[in-house]
């Protein structure tokens, strides 16, 4: 959305620009005018979609200019900002069709709520309808965190999706370390402690940005910093996340508590991760029994066998019969590539793009996004550098 900003306040201009750029689609400040008269005398050659008008310094005698401004840009939406009530000005603004009036200093949540209303009225669809994908370990050491973090990166890199990963480990979650060496400035616990501020811009500011379209919300790394996290906090976080991301990947860990259960309730798909071994199969059956008792439909369960090697005594069909569920995907046992990736904190697609595990992640992106082979060829070409002459 193209916007004209009318204000003498350079700090306010910068603040509005920052909040606008965090939206989807972004609000782009294409021009600035230093007052009402300046805005009228220097009309934009191409009318803006939105006019953001700081009325803090408007003189009483300039009231009639408000109506002139609205006639100058009849198709534009207007947002009026003011530091003190100006009744005559507000009446003129309402008569001119200006409906969004915000008090300064700017409250970010109020700004975004006003922008939501403006975009709905203008017929602009900005909201995504993100899918929630939950990865959960059937047994400790199954590799669920490695898969969730690297699959999240693969979705962003290969399918060009905007992806958020949320680390739901109750304590000492380390999902961030699998794909980045950045120290999280905020954690899930911190967000829950400020849940009243939750919007798309606030959520984005709390992430470790691994790539421009892939961010990680870290788990609390210190039990002393934990606040009381409530299931309804997860409702709020996922509601906002769905609006701003194509995919929300959850690294659930093994512990099922009130927070992770609320997240699992909202998951579109659940990926139990296990290895082809008797202890994993035993724990996997218990986990699936829990999910069935909770009423989760079978089609939401999508088993992943990690570190898979053909030719073992246990077969995939044995596992499927024991669990009463089909295996969606197998990830090969590529120990060296996976270990190098974890030790360096670099996604395996970056570090070893031709490795077996990288190819397996690319296959999984196809399965989850349901892209046809003809559409997906470009993904593999970009990843593996294939050409028709190879």
């Amino acid at each position: 959305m193209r916007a004209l900003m009318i204000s003498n306040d350079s700090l306010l201009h910068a603040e509005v620009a920052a909040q606008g750029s965090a939206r989807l689609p972004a609000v782009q400040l294409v021009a600035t005018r230093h007052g009402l008269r300046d805005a009228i005398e220097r009309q934009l050659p191409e009318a803006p979609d939105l006019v953001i008008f700081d009325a803090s310094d408007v003189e009483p005698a300039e009231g009639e200019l408000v109506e002139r401004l609205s006639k100058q840009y009849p198709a534009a939406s207007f947002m009026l900002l003011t530091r003190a009530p100006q009744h005559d000005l507000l009446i003129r603004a309402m008569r001119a069709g200006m409906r969004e009036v915000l008090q300064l200093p700017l409250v970010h949540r109020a700004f975004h709520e006003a922008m939501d209303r403006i975009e709905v009225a203008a017929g602009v669809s900005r909201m995504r309808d993100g899918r929630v994908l939950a990865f959960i370990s059937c047994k400790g050491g199954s590799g669920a965190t490695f898969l969730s973090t690297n699959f999240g990166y693969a979705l962003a890199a290969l399918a060009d999706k905007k992806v958020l990963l949320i680390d739901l480990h109750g304590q000492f979650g380390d999902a961030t370390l699998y794909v980045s060496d950045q120290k999280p400035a905020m954690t899930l616990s911190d967000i829950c402690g400020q849940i009243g501020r939750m919007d798309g811009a606030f959520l984005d500011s709390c992430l470790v940005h691994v790539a421009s379209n892939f961010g990680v919300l870290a788990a609390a790394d210190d039990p002393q910093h934990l606040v009381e996290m409530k299931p309804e906090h997860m409702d709020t976080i996922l509601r906002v996340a769905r609006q701003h991301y194509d995919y929300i990947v959850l690294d659930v860990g093994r512990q099922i508590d009130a927070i992770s259960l609320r997240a699992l309730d909202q998951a579109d798909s659940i990926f139990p991760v296990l290895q082809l071994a008797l202890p994993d199969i035993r724990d996997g059956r218990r986990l699936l029994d829990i999910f069935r008792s909770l009423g989760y439909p079978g089609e939401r369960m999508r088993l992943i066998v990690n570190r898979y090697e053909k030719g073992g005594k246990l077969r995939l069909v044995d596992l499927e019969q024991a669990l009463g569920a089909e295996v969606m995907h197998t990830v090969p046992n590529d120990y060296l590539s996976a270990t190098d990736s974890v030790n360096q904190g670099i996604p395996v697609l970056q570090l070893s793009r031709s490795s077996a595990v990288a190819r397996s992640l690319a296959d999984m992106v196809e399965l989850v996004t349901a892209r046809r082979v003809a559409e997906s060829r470009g993904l593999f070409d970009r990843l593996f550098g294939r050409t028709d002459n190879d």
Side-chain angles (χ1 to χ4, degrees):
M1 184 172 275
R2 301 172 67 257
L4 165 65
M5 179 86 181
I6 303 174
S7 178
N8 278 317
D9 188 337
S10 60
L11 293 178
L12 177 61
H13 182 280
E15 185 177 16
V16 170
Q19 292 301 310
S21 65
R23 293 183 63 80
L24 295 169
V27 176
Q28 181 184 7
L29 299 187
V30 296
T32 303
R33 297 293 184 263
H34 297 296
L36 271 174
R37 196 169 301 279
D38 184 28
I40 291 171
E41 292 176 352
R42 293 197 294 145
Q43 184 173 351
L44 297 183
E46 183 179 352
D49 304 305
L50 170 67
V51 177
I52 302 174
F53 168 37
D54 175 11
S56 302
D57 298 325
V58 172
E59 298 294 334
E62 295 181 305
E64 59 91 14
L65 297 179
V66 173
E67 296 177 29
R68 288 179 58 184
L69 182 66
S70 68
K71 292 177 181 178
Q72 188 164 289
Y73 301 118
S77 302
F78 284 80
M79 180 185 293
L80 186 68
L81 310 178
T82 181
R83 294 190 182 279
Q86 303 181 57
H87 299 294
D88 292 341
L89 178 64
L90 290 178
I91 291 172
R92 285 182 177 270
M94 296 293 283
R95 287 174 179 168
M98 301 181 186
R99 295 292 182 263
E100 296 296 341
V101 180
L102 300 182
Q103 191 78 26
L104 294 176
L106 189 66
V107 177
H108 295 170
R109 184 173 183 177
F111 171 80
H112 288 289
E113 289 173 349
M115 283 303 310
D116 289 346
R117 292 188 292 268
I118 287 172
E119 289 176 345
V120 169
V124 176
S125 177
R126 78 175 188 86
M127 296 301 184
R128 299 173 189 249
D129 185 19
R131 293 182 60 201
V132 177
L133 313 177
F135 285 71
I136 184 167
S137 297
C138 293
K139 183 175 177 57
S142 65
T145 297
F146 173 82
L147 289 182
S148 64
T149 51
N150 279 273
F151 175 70
Y153 179 83
L155 269 176
L158 301 181
D160 196 26
K161 300 297 184 180
K162 189 173 184 186
V163 182
L164 166 66
L165 184 135
I166 302 177
D167 188 348
L168 289 178
H169 287 257
Q171 296 181 21
F172 308 114
D174 58 359
T176 305
L177 298 177
Y178 280 69
V179 287
S180 175
D181 60 358
Q182 302 175 55
K183 181 176 176 58
M186 298 279 280
T187 68
L188 177 61
S189 175
D190 296 324
I191 283 187
C192 291
Q194 305 177 57
I195 200 68
R197 296 180 58 192
M198 176 54 62
D199 57 29
F202 177 63
L203 178 59
D204 181 75
S205 71
C206 297
L207 306 182
V208 170
H209 292 279
V210 180
S212 60
N213 58 342
F214 178 45
V216 179
L217 177 57
D221 59 358
D222 186 345
Q224 294 181 352
H225 294 163
L226 287 173
V227 301
E228 184 181 357
M229 294 190 291
K230 300 177 181 178
E232 52 265 34
H233 293 162
M234 187 53 58
D235 292 338
T236 301
I237 293 169
L238 289 179
R239 174 180 56 79
V240 172
R242 282 186 186 271
Q243 294 171 352
H244 293 272
Y245 294 85
D246 297 306
Y247 289 93
I248 301 95
V249 179
L250 307 178
D251 180 21
V252 179
R254 287 200 69 207
Q255 181 180 357
I256 298 181
D257 54 21
I259 302 296
S260 60
L261 187 58
R262 184 65 65 92
L264 288 167
D265 286 344
Q266 300 188 46
D268 297 286
S269 298
I270 300 175
F271 298 88
V273 179
L274 72 165
Q275 297 180 44
L276 196 54
L278 285 176
D280 291 69
I281 295 174
R282 179 195 62 203
D283 288 358
R285 183 163 53 193
R286 291 173 178 170
L287 182 63
L288 293 186
D289 286 344
I290 292 173
F291 290 155
R292 292 178 183 123
S293 70
L294 292 170
Y296 294 172
E299 57 268 23
R300 285 173 62 189
M301 305 302 122
R302 313 187 74 179
L303 292 178
I304 298 177
V305 176
N306 194 23
R307 300 172 189 159
Y308 174 63
E309 292 181 310
K310 294 181 179 179
K313 292 183 178 180
L314 286 175
R315 301 169 301 167
L316 291 178
V317 67
D318 298 324
L319 181 147
E320 291 176 336
Q321 290 175 354
L323 300 186
E326 293 185 0
V327 173
M328 183 200 82
H329 188 59
T330 60
V331 179
N333 185 16
D334 190 354
Y335 179 79
L336 290 178
S337 297
T339 301
D340 285 347
S341 171
V342 173
N343 287 341
Q344 297 184 52
I346 299 174
V348 71
L349 287 173
Q350 282 188 22
L351 195 63
S352 184
R353 67 180 188 177
S354 62
S355 65
V357 67
R359 292 176 181 272
S360 181
L361 288 167
D363 291 340
M364 192 171 169
V365 168
E366 282 196 340
L367 289 171
V368 170
T369 58
R371 296 170 68 97
R372 297 194 302 270
V373 172
E375 294 176 331
S376 298
R377 182 177 177 84
L379 305 182
F380 290 95
D381 290 346
R382 276 192 288 160
L383 179 61
F384 304 121
R386 297 175 184 168
T387 66
D388 291 337
N389 298 324
D390 285 350

